[in-house]
Amino acid sequence: PLRIGNLLTSVLLKRGLKLGTNTLLTVPGRKSGLPRTTPVTIIEYGGERYVQSPFGEVDWVRNLRAAGTATLTRGRRAETVQAIELSSEQAAPVLKHALTLAPAMIRAYFDVTVDSSIEEVIREAPRHPTFELVTASVPSSRP
């Protein structure tokens, strides 16, 4: 079901449909160098943008770590970002905030809740890599 949902979300985002804060994240594969694209949810917190993996150390996380940069795309709009991985202490407030926004299906991947203490979320954070996204180039429209 998750794979089908990702495929459907990707198709809609490529067409420029706005689906909340979802966007397409494209990162070169760490082994192949070929572009790999997956839909992700951008978390806005404290005036900054973040992306985190509810599912742990999946391929896009490993690729993003290796590349350090990515392209965010929705429709014709593309933006290059630098990705800075956060420590558990830095990630915890972002994760706690993300839990307030996440659907139950996603919250089920966490061993903490919105009511958990920040210390509990800090202990959970290594299971959910979190990156701050900083604009590396001005957003543009693709032809």
Side-chain angles (χ1 to χ4, degrees):
L2 191 59
R3 220 170 251 218
I4 293 169
N6 278 351
L7 180 61
L8 179 61
T9 300
S10 294
V11 168
L12 295 174
L13 290 169
K14 283 178 186 172
R15 294 195 176 169
L17 202 67
K18 185 166 173 69
L19 300 173
T21 61
N22 291 319
T23 191
L24 294 173
L25 176 86
T26 303
V27 184
R30 65 195 177 285
K31 295 177 185 172
S32 69
L34 297 172
R36 303 293 182 202
T37 301
T38 190
V40 296
T41 299
I42 301 297
I43 302 159
E44 295 181 7
Y45 178 75
E48 305 298 335
R49 294 180 301 165
Y50 302 90
V51 64
Q52 63 87 28
S53 174
F55 316 114
E57 296 213 10
V58 292
D59 280 339
W60 73 258
V61 169
R62 293 184 200 103
N63 291 339
L64 190 55
R65 273 188 190 133
T69 61
T71 303
L72 302 178
T73 309
R74 185 184 299 144
R76 294 176 180 250
R77 187 174 162 88
E79 174 187 8
T80 301
V81 294
Q82 179 183 9
I84 304 156
E85 189 163 6
L86 303 181
S87 69
S88 296
E89 291 77 13
Q90 293 168 318
V94 177
L95 291 176
K96 196 164 169 76
H97 173 69
L99 286 169
T100 67
L101 307 171
M105 180 190 99
I106 298 297
R107 289 193 313 267
Y109 287 90
F110 290 82
D111 290 336
V112 292
T113 69
V114 294
D115 298 322
S116 297
S117 71
I118 198 71
E119 292 77 18
E120 291 170 309
V121 180
I122 289 170
R123 286 192 295 276
E124 177 75 1
R127 294 185 54 234
H128 307 282
T130 304
F131 300 84
E132 180 179 358
L133 302 177
V134 179
T135 301
S137 71
V138 178
S140 64
S141 290
R142 298 181 301 177

